[in-house]
Amino acid sequence: MHGLSKSFESGVWPRRRTRVDVLRGIDLSVAAGEIVGVLGANGAGKTTLLHAIAGLLRPDSGSITYNGQPMEASAARALVGLCSSADRSFYYRLTLRGNLEFFGRLYGLQGARLTRRISELLDLTDLREYENRLYSRCSTGTRQRLGLARALLHDPKVVLLDEPTRAVDPLHALALRAFVQSQLARTARKVILLATNSLEEAWAVCDRIVLLSGGRCIASDTPGGLERSFSKSVRYRIQLERPDGALAQQLRMVGTVQSSPHVPEISIELGTEEHAFHAMLQILATSGTRVQALIPDGTAATDVFAAAVGQ
């Protein structure tokens, strides 16, 4: 997409209405097999961006293409599968299978092909035991998993996930994330955008993260790249053959150290300057203590997010 912009009117009274810019010139490209996370505070434009790609909203300006071809609303319906965090679009008096049958026919699926596809997705999303339960009687987490199944019914090339694990229990959330990574991205090579408020989820699942603030894209990088760009420090865990208080004392000259006289591990926090890292390596190399591992201890995602959006 290039230069994507969208605004909405705000206010009740005609004379007091103002236009609010939700998206402001978003440029973004996603490769097949890549999972791109979309992060931002509430109101940053995450859901609006996904709805524009899905053809549910017409942007004020800008273009959306797939393989170099314009993706109009009609094309988006065939190419895109949207898993929304909202459940109002399902039919409460139908069973889970009944809902999938209805939406499958809207996608042009029918007969044995539709039956086979529904069975596959009920198994993939672990909904088999609930297939004959009315939608109105299902939990929020179950409804969320049904949303993912519906998004994948027509085997779309582009998958848009809007908070897919919201209200899903931890075990099913882990399973869904693994499914997105292994089956959708790595095996099926789909284009995947994941809008989420879970920093932990974005850091664990996404190959690249886009940060939105005020309707603009303020950063686009790997989780590690964002940490290097926005973090004021880096942390390491130094695993030793045996506890060494003298080494811990030496390392305090170059960084903030946490250690215990009975534990063969030292945690150190350094500034992002390159000379601090080299000073640490020099101390380790000349200490005489055998170092078994030097492990980067990732910067907390919340620290990176707060630094990036200025909160």
Side-chain angles (χ1 to χ4, degrees):
M1 71 189 71
H2 176 70
L4 204 68
S5 297
K6 181 64 181 177
S7 62
F8 296 97
E9 280 194 345
S10 176
V12 177
W13 302 105
R15 292 183 179 179
R16 295 183 180 179
R17 288 178 184 168
T18 58
R19 294 203 70 83
V20 178
D21 294 322
V22 180
L23 299 178
R24 304 182 182 186
I26 301 294
D27 294 329
L28 177 62
S29 62
V30 185
E34 185 181 21
I35 305 174
V36 173
V38 183
L39 292 181
N42 292 336
K46 302 187 297 294
T47 297
T48 300
L49 177 63
L50 265 58
H51 284 187
I53 299 171
L56 300 179
L57 291 174
R58 178 177 295 178
D60 299 333
S61 60
S63 60
I64 303 173
T65 60
Y66 178 80
N67 279 346
Q69 300 299 316
M71 196 165 72
E72 305 295 340
S74 57
R77 282 192 288 271
L79 286 170
V80 176
L82 172 64
C83 174
S84 174
S85 58
D87 59 11
R88 294 186 297 273
S89 59
F90 284 102
Y91 289 88
Y92 279 59
R93 295 184 181 181
L94 291 179
T95 63
L96 301 194
R97 174 176 282 275
N99 268 286
L100 292 178
E101 289 175 347
F102 173 80
F103 287 105
R105 292 191 178 97
L106 291 182
Y107 283 124
L109 303 176
Q110 54 186 331
R113 182 186 174 197
L114 175 58
T115 301
R116 183 171 59 254
R117 185 61 176 159
I118 290 175
S119 293
E120 291 172 355
L121 291 171
L122 286 173
D123 290 334
L124 285 172
T125 53
D126 197 22
L127 290 174
R128 176 67 69 179
E129 64 179 301
Y130 305 113
E131 63 177 310
N132 295 315
R133 181 176 296 184
L134 290 178
Y135 183 81
S136 61
R137 297 181 179 177
C138 291
S139 67
T140 302
T142 299
R143 294 176 181 182
Q144 194 72 4
R145 284 183 280 145
L146 182 67
L148 178 60
R150 180 179 64 178
L152 300 175
L153 267 172
H154 58 307
D155 196 20
K157 301 293 185 183
V158 179
V159 179
L160 308 177
L161 306 173
D162 191 357
E163 295 188 65
T165 58
R166 182 181 66 88
V168 177
D169 66 83
L171 289 179
H172 281 111
L174 287 174
L176 285 178
R177 292 166 186 165
F179 171 69
V180 169
Q181 285 182 300
S182 63
Q183 298 300 316
L184 299 186
R186 310 297 178 248
T187 302
R189 304 292 295 170
K190 296 186 184 299
V191 173
I192 302 174
L193 268 77
L194 167 65
T196 179
N197 283 324
S198 170
L199 301 180
E200 176 189 358
E201 180 172 74
W203 251 246
V205 174
C206 299
D207 303 305
R208 181 159 52 99
I209 293 173
V210 171
L211 292 176
L212 297 183
S213 181
R216 299 185 187 278
C217 176
I218 59 172
S220 176
D221 207 338
T222 63
L226 290 176
E227 290 179 4
R228 289 189 292 272
S229 297
F230 293 100
S231 176
K232 296 180 180 179
S233 64
V234 289
R235 292 189 287 267
Y236 295 91
R237 288 187 294 118
I238 306 168
Q239 295 180 349
L240 307 173
E241 188 176 46
R242 55 180 174 77
D244 190 331
L247 175 60
Q249 190 63 34
Q250 282 185 285
L251 288 170
R252 286 189 174 91
M253 295 188 295
V254 296
T256 302
V257 171
Q258 292 182 338
S259 66
S260 168
H262 308 295
V263 178
E265 181 173 294
I266 297 172
S267 295
I268 184 169
E269 182 175 352
L270 303 173
T272 55
E273 303 86 358
E274 189 174 349
H275 68 80
F277 178 74
H278 288 301
M280 176 187 70
L281 291 182
Q282 182 67 23
I283 292 173
L284 294 178
T286 59
S287 67
T289 299
R290 185 172 180 179
V291 177
Q292 295 184 324
L294 177 63
I295 305 171
D297 195 358
T299 303
T302 49
D303 295 340
V304 174
F305 181 79
V309 300
Q311 294 182 348

